Amino acid sequence: MDLHQEFVTYGSLALKWRRKCELLLSEIDRKQIWKKKNYASIYEYAAKLAGMSKARVDDCLRIHRHIEDKPALLEVANKKGLSAVRPVATISTREDAGFWADKAINLPKNALEKYVQTYRANSCPRTESQPEKVQIVIDLDSATAAKLQKMKGDLSWNEFISGLMHKEKPERVKTESRYIPAEIKKYVLSLSGGKCAQCSRKADVLHHADRFAHSHEHNPDTLLPLCEGHHQLAHLGYIVSEQDAFGKWRVRDRAEPSALDLKWCSYQRG
């Protein structure tokens, strides 16, 4: 066995046993076994016997408190570890634990986190608020000020400045190449400031809402900047309508991937 393979083997074993230790913590704390073994606290017990930090111990105990009355989630935790149910621990109830257990089993970690985030947003729709107005004072000479006033015409200053800032939308491109032209890429990313269209994370990919394998085009109207988690959700078939406005995606209870998405998922799994 070479050094790399040896390291991988020991690493996988360490991960397996760390998960086991995390699952035992709650019962050890409840029965105060740490005290019977002459440790000052559950934290000292976990640190000295399993190398666990205080934050990790608190996290494990917190997760277990949320799922201890939910057999379906306990089963997932026993199979995949407590971290697998962390995203759904606080949103699940005894009544819908089976629903969330299914998501914890079948969704990749990033996609699960984004599913929960979007599900919460769908359950508690935000009220539309008026954009905050900010007053800006600039010093201009009289000639420049007069020119700007003339250019503005009957528009409000907000409309006028917005027009100056508007970037001309590039034309869609029909092609067999998956390479997205730089002009289109720059335009699409500028709409979200380089962030995911559905959350505040950095965009990892430009997603074709109208699948490229079907349309064979790069259309700035249907390209979405997405983080990895939201990109996975889209291809797994959990999004009701990918054309919904920025930050307004809605999730399905069950996945409905298209044939093209099934191919994508198969490719991702290798």
Side-chain angles (χ1 to χ4, degrees):
M1 183 184 298
D2 64 29
L3 286 176
H4 169 69
Q5 191 55 50
E6 189 174 0
F7 188 88
V8 170
T9 300
Y10 291 145
S12 62
L13 289 174
L15 179 61
K16 174 184 176 181
W17 292 115
R18 188 180 70 193
R19 286 176 176 172
K20 294 289 187 184
C21 288
E22 291 173 352
L23 288 166
L24 293 172
L25 265 184
S26 181
E27 190 69 3
I28 287 171
D29 190 42
R30 187 180 70 81
K31 293 181 177 180
Q32 293 201 318
I33 291 174
W34 54 268
K35 183 179 288 187
K36 296 172 184 176
K37 297 299 179 180
N38 298 316
Y39 287 91
S41 66
I42 185 67
Y43 302 113
E44 183 187 14
Y45 180 91
K48 289 189 174 180
L49 297 182
M52 296 174 65
S53 67
K54 181 180 183 299
R56 187 62 184 157
V57 172
D58 283 336
D59 188 47
C60 292
L61 294 177
R62 178 188 64 82
I63 294 171
H64 205 280
R65 280 196 301 272
H66 284 295
I67 68 170
E68 60 187 357
D69 60 344
K70 302 161 188 170
L73 288 178
L74 282 172
E75 185 178 349
V76 176
N78 283 319
K79 287 180 179 177
K80 300 181 66 177
L82 284 174
S83 60
V85 297
R86 180 187 290 108
V88 304
T90 57
I91 196 173
S92 62
T93 64
R94 275 185 284 185
E95 290 72 28
D96 65 10
F99 170 85
W100 289 110
D102 175 71
K103 300 298 177 287
I105 283 286
N106 293 302
L107 285 176
K109 179 184 175 183
N110 286 332
L112 178 62
E113 290 174 351
K114 295 306 176 183
Y115 185 93
V116 171
Q117 182 186 82
T118 309
Y119 190 96
R120 286 187 192 276
N122 294 166
S123 302
C124 305
R126 292 166 290 185
T127 56
E128 295 293 334
S129 58
Q130 292 296 320
E132 181 184 358
K133 293 187 177 181
V134 179
Q135 189 174 37
I136 298 175
V137 178
I138 55 176
D139 293 322
L140 300 173
D141 60 65
S142 57
T144 302
K147 287 179 181 178
L148 278 177
Q149 189 69 50
K150 185 176 181 180
M151 290 170 64
K152 182 180 81 70
D154 294 331
L155 297 175
S156 68
W157 280 110
N158 199 71
E159 292 169 332
F160 175 64
I161 297 297
S162 294
L164 291 178
M165 294 170 61
H166 177 70
K167 294 180 175 63
E168 185 176 350
K169 182 168 65 177
E171 295 292 326
R172 66 178 68 184
V173 174
K174 278 279 188 182
T175 177
E176 294 300 314
S177 171
R178 286 186 173 272
Y179 174 77
I180 301 173
E183 184 183 12
I184 293 179
K185 185 182 296 186
K186 184 177 180 180
Y187 171 81
V188 173
L189 288 172
S190 74
L191 298 179
S192 66
K195 301 289 182 65
C196 172
Q198 301 303 319
C199 68
S200 59
R201 297 195 66 171
K202 177 181 176 293
D204 296 310
V205 65
L206 290 184
H207 170 67
H208 292 79
D210 185 6
R211 301 295 185 265
F212 180 81
H214 170 72
S215 66
H216 295 284
E217 73 172 13
H218 302 300
N219 184 347
D221 289 329
T222 58
L223 275 168
L224 298 172
L226 296 177
C227 65
E228 181 184 356
H230 277 114
H231 188 224
Q232 289 173 330
L233 278 184
H235 280 293
L236 288 168
Y238 278 103
I239 305 305
V240 175
S241 173
E242 293 176 24
Q243 295 295 346
D244 283 348
F246 277 32
K248 298 293 181 67
W249 269 7
R250 292 163 293 138
V251 289
R252 296 187 175 102
D253 287 350
R254 297 191 179 280
E256 296 180 16
S258 67
L260 291 175
D261 287 325
L262 288 173
K263 287 184 179 180
W264 182 90
C265 293
S266 177
Y267 173 78
Q268 292 297 307
R269 287 193 293 267

PDB file of all heavy atoms in Angstrom, residues 8 10 22 38 48 64 78 93-94 102 106 157 206 209 249:
ATOM      1  N   VAL A   8      -5.479   7.668   2.853  1.00  0.00           N
ATOM      2  CA  VAL A   8      -6.904   7.647   2.517  1.00  0.00           C
ATOM      3  C   VAL A   8      -7.642   6.613   3.366  1.00  0.00           C
ATOM      4  O   VAL A   8      -8.736   6.864   3.883  1.00  0.00           O
ATOM      5  CB  VAL A   8      -7.104   7.343   1.015  1.00  0.00           C
ATOM      6  CG1 VAL A   8      -8.575   7.071   0.710  1.00  0.00           C
ATOM      7  CG2 VAL A   8      -6.595   8.500   0.167  1.00  0.00           C
ATOM      8  N   TYR A  10      -6.776   5.321   6.360  1.00  0.00           N
ATOM      9  CA  TYR A  10      -6.865   5.750   7.758  1.00  0.00           C
ATOM     10  C   TYR A  10      -7.819   6.934   7.914  1.00  0.00           C
ATOM     11  O   TYR A  10      -8.534   7.047   8.914  1.00  0.00           O
ATOM     12  CB  TYR A  10      -5.479   6.119   8.291  1.00  0.00           C
ATOM     13  CG  TYR A  10      -4.555   4.929   8.450  1.00  0.00           C
ATOM     14  CD1 TYR A  10      -3.187   5.048   8.216  1.00  0.00           C
ATOM     15  CD2 TYR A  10      -5.052   3.689   8.837  1.00  0.00           C
ATOM     16  CE1 TYR A  10      -2.335   3.958   8.360  1.00  0.00           C
ATOM     17  CE2 TYR A  10      -4.212   2.593   8.979  1.00  0.00           C
ATOM     18  CZ  TYR A  10      -2.855   2.731   8.738  1.00  0.00           C
ATOM     19  OH  TYR A  10      -2.030   1.652   8.881  1.00  0.00           O
ATOM     20  N   GLU A  22     -19.713  11.060  17.713  1.00  0.00           N
ATOM     21  CA  GLU A  22     -20.676  12.167  17.735  1.00  0.00           C
ATOM     22  C   GLU A  22     -22.082  11.672  18.056  1.00  0.00           C
ATOM     23  O   GLU A  22     -22.837  12.333  18.781  1.00  0.00           O
ATOM     24  CB  GLU A  22     -20.654  12.888  16.387  1.00  0.00           C
ATOM     25  CG  GLU A  22     -19.364  13.656  16.132  1.00  0.00           C
ATOM     26  CD  GLU A  22     -19.268  14.218  14.731  1.00  0.00           C
ATOM     27  OE1 GLU A  22     -20.134  13.888  13.889  1.00  0.00           O
ATOM     28  OE2 GLU A  22     -18.326  14.989  14.471  1.00  0.00           O
ATOM     29  N   ASN A  38     -14.715  10.595  35.953  1.00  0.00           N
ATOM     30  CA  ASN A  38     -13.852  11.617  36.567  1.00  0.00           C
ATOM     31  C   ASN A  38     -13.336  12.685  35.597  1.00  0.00           C
ATOM     32  O   ASN A  38     -12.197  13.151  35.713  1.00  0.00           O
ATOM     33  CB  ASN A  38     -12.656  10.954  37.272  1.00  0.00           C
ATOM     34  CG  ASN A  38     -13.098  10.039  38.400  1.00  0.00           C
ATOM     35  OD1 ASN A  38     -13.984  10.394  39.186  1.00  0.00           O
ATOM     36  ND2 ASN A  38     -12.507   8.858  38.471  1.00  0.00           N
ATOM     37  N   LYS A  48     -10.463  14.921  25.184  1.00  0.00           N
ATOM     38  CA  LYS A  48      -9.362  14.016  25.504  1.00  0.00           C
ATOM     39  C   LYS A  48      -9.527  12.637  24.869  1.00  0.00           C
ATOM     40  O   LYS A  48      -8.542  11.990  24.511  1.00  0.00           O
ATOM     41  CB  LYS A  48      -9.223  13.888  27.023  1.00  0.00           C
ATOM     42  CG  LYS A  48      -8.679  15.152  27.673  1.00  0.00           C
ATOM     43  CD  LYS A  48      -8.344  14.939  29.135  1.00  0.00           C
ATOM     44  CE  LYS A  48      -7.664  16.183  29.715  1.00  0.00           C
ATOM     45  NZ  LYS A  48      -7.316  15.997  31.153  1.00  0.00           N
ATOM     46  N   HIS A  64     -28.758  16.769  17.971  1.00  0.00           N
ATOM     47  CA  HIS A  64     -29.433  15.597  18.544  1.00  0.00           C
ATOM     48  C   HIS A  64     -30.700  15.991  19.293  1.00  0.00           C
ATOM     49  O   HIS A  64     -31.708  15.279  19.239  1.00  0.00           O
ATOM     50  CB  HIS A  64     -28.481  14.834  19.468  1.00  0.00           C
ATOM     51  CG  HIS A  64     -28.841  13.386  19.607  1.00  0.00           C
ATOM     52  ND1 HIS A  64     -29.838  12.951  20.448  1.00  0.00           N
ATOM     53  CD2 HIS A  64     -28.359  12.277  18.981  1.00  0.00           C
ATOM     54  CE1 HIS A  64     -29.944  11.636  20.352  1.00  0.00           C
ATOM     55  NE2 HIS A  64     -29.066  11.202  19.470  1.00  0.00           N
ATOM     56  N   ASN A  78     -27.722   8.002  11.810  1.00  0.00           N
ATOM     57  CA  ASN A  78     -26.986   6.765  12.074  1.00  0.00           C
ATOM     58  C   ASN A  78     -26.288   6.238  10.823  1.00  0.00           C
ATOM     59  O   ASN A  78     -25.237   5.609  10.905  1.00  0.00           O
ATOM     60  CB  ASN A  78     -27.927   5.697  12.638  1.00  0.00           C
ATOM     61  CG  ASN A  78     -28.253   5.932  14.103  1.00  0.00           C
ATOM     62  OD1 ASN A  78     -27.379   6.303  14.882  1.00  0.00           O
ATOM     63  ND2 ASN A  78     -29.501   5.739  14.484  1.00  0.00           N
ATOM     64  N   THR A  93     -40.343  18.843  11.627  1.00  0.00           N
ATOM     65  CA  THR A  93     -41.227  18.567  12.763  1.00  0.00           C
ATOM     66  C   THR A  93     -41.451  17.060  12.822  1.00  0.00           C
ATOM     67  O   THR A  93     -41.071  16.330  11.901  1.00  0.00           O
ATOM     68  CB  THR A  93     -42.585  19.273  12.589  1.00  0.00           C
ATOM     69  OG1 THR A  93     -43.252  18.713  11.435  1.00  0.00           O
ATOM     70  CG2 THR A  93     -42.406  20.774  12.385  1.00  0.00           C
ATOM     71  N   ARG A  94     -42.093  16.601  13.884  1.00  0.00           N
ATOM     72  CA  ARG A  94     -42.372  15.168  13.966  1.00  0.00           C
ATOM     73  C   ARG A  94     -43.274  14.718  12.814  1.00  0.00           C
ATOM     74  O   ARG A  94     -43.173  13.590  12.339  1.00  0.00           O
ATOM     75  CB  ARG A  94     -43.028  14.839  15.308  1.00  0.00           C
ATOM     76  CG  ARG A  94     -42.020  14.619  16.421  1.00  0.00           C
ATOM     77  CD  ARG A  94     -42.667  14.188  17.708  1.00  0.00           C
ATOM     78  NE  ARG A  94     -43.321  15.288  18.387  1.00  0.00           N
ATOM     79  CZ  ARG A  94     -43.885  15.195  19.590  1.00  0.00           C
ATOM     80  NH1 ARG A  94     -43.889  14.049  20.229  1.00  0.00           N
ATOM     81  NH2 ARG A  94     -44.447  16.244  20.149  1.00  0.00           N
ATOM     82  N   ASP A 102     -35.919  12.154   3.655  1.00  0.00           N
ATOM     83  CA  ASP A 102     -35.739  11.828   2.237  1.00  0.00           C
ATOM     84  C   ASP A 102     -34.798  12.822   1.565  1.00  0.00           C
ATOM     85  O   ASP A 102     -33.920  12.441   0.785  1.00  0.00           O
ATOM     86  CB  ASP A 102     -37.105  11.833   1.539  1.00  0.00           C
ATOM     87  CG  ASP A 102     -36.987  11.630   0.034  1.00  0.00           C
ATOM     88  OD1 ASP A 102     -36.660  10.505  -0.386  1.00  0.00           O
ATOM     89  OD2 ASP A 102     -37.212  12.604  -0.713  1.00  0.00           O
ATOM     90  N   ASN A 106     -31.035  12.023  -0.087  1.00  0.00           N
ATOM     91  CA  ASN A 106     -30.879  12.064  -1.543  1.00  0.00           C
ATOM     92  C   ASN A 106     -30.214  13.309  -2.115  1.00  0.00           C
ATOM     93  O   ASN A 106     -29.736  13.276  -3.256  1.00  0.00           O
ATOM     94  CB  ASN A 106     -32.255  11.887  -2.204  1.00  0.00           C
ATOM     95  CG  ASN A 106     -32.824  10.501  -1.970  1.00  0.00           C
ATOM     96  OD1 ASN A 106     -32.205   9.506  -2.322  1.00  0.00           O
ATOM     97  ND2 ASN A 106     -33.994  10.424  -1.349  1.00  0.00           N
ATOM     98  N   TRP A 157     -34.162  62.237 -11.778  1.00  0.00           N
ATOM     99  CA  TRP A 157     -32.727  61.968 -11.729  1.00  0.00           C
ATOM    100  C   TRP A 157     -32.452  60.471 -11.622  1.00  0.00           C
ATOM    101  O   TRP A 157     -31.480  59.952 -12.169  1.00  0.00           O
ATOM    102  CB  TRP A 157     -32.085  62.717 -10.556  1.00  0.00           C
ATOM    103  CG  TRP A 157     -31.836  64.167 -10.857  1.00  0.00           C
ATOM    104  CD1 TRP A 157     -32.478  65.245 -10.341  1.00  0.00           C
ATOM    105  CD2 TRP A 157     -30.879  64.685 -11.789  1.00  0.00           C
ATOM    106  NE1 TRP A 157     -31.994  66.415 -10.879  1.00  0.00           N
ATOM    107  CE2 TRP A 157     -31.001  66.097 -11.774  1.00  0.00           C
ATOM    108  CE3 TRP A 157     -29.936  64.112 -12.642  1.00  0.00           C
ATOM    109  CZ2 TRP A 157     -30.213  66.936 -12.562  1.00  0.00           C
ATOM    110  CZ3 TRP A 157     -29.148  64.949 -13.426  1.00  0.00           C
ATOM    111  CH2 TRP A 157     -29.289  66.336 -13.389  1.00  0.00           C
ATOM    112  N   LEU A 206     -22.699  29.743 -14.851  1.00  0.00           N
ATOM    113  CA  LEU A 206     -23.811  30.355 -15.578  1.00  0.00           C
ATOM    114  C   LEU A 206     -24.688  29.212 -16.087  1.00  0.00           C
ATOM    115  O   LEU A 206     -24.254  28.395 -16.896  1.00  0.00           O
ATOM    116  CB  LEU A 206     -23.297  31.207 -16.743  1.00  0.00           C
ATOM    117  CG  LEU A 206     -22.575  32.502 -16.351  1.00  0.00           C
ATOM    118  CD1 LEU A 206     -22.202  33.300 -17.593  1.00  0.00           C
ATOM    119  CD2 LEU A 206     -23.431  33.349 -15.428  1.00  0.00           C
ATOM    120  N   ALA A 209     -31.164  28.098 -18.181  1.00  0.00           N
ATOM    121  CA  ALA A 209     -32.516  27.723 -17.762  1.00  0.00           C
ATOM    122  C   ALA A 209     -33.224  26.985 -18.900  1.00  0.00           C
ATOM    123  O   ALA A 209     -33.988  26.047 -18.671  1.00  0.00           O
ATOM    124  CB  ALA A 209     -33.305  28.964 -17.353  1.00  0.00           C
ATOM    125  N   TRP A 249     -37.153  31.926  -6.604  1.00  0.00           N
ATOM    126  CA  TRP A 249     -37.375  30.524  -6.933  1.00  0.00           C
ATOM    127  C   TRP A 249     -38.275  29.856  -5.902  1.00  0.00           C
ATOM    128  O   TRP A 249     -38.236  30.185  -4.717  1.00  0.00           O
ATOM    129  CB  TRP A 249     -36.044  29.776  -6.989  1.00  0.00           C
ATOM    130  CG  TRP A 249     -35.427  29.775  -8.357  1.00  0.00           C
ATOM    131  CD1 TRP A 249     -35.859  30.454  -9.454  1.00  0.00           C
ATOM    132  CD2 TRP A 249     -34.254  29.064  -8.758  1.00  0.00           C
ATOM    133  NE1 TRP A 249     -35.027  30.211 -10.523  1.00  0.00           N
ATOM    134  CE2 TRP A 249     -34.037  29.363 -10.124  1.00  0.00           C
ATOM    135  CE3 TRP A 249     -33.369  28.220  -8.106  1.00  0.00           C
ATOM    136  CZ2 TRP A 249     -32.970  28.830 -10.840  1.00  0.00           C
ATOM    137  CZ3 TRP A 249     -32.305  27.690  -8.817  1.00  0.00           C
ATOM    138  CH2 TRP A 249     -32.108  27.993 -10.173  1.00  0.00           C
TER     139      TRP A 249
END
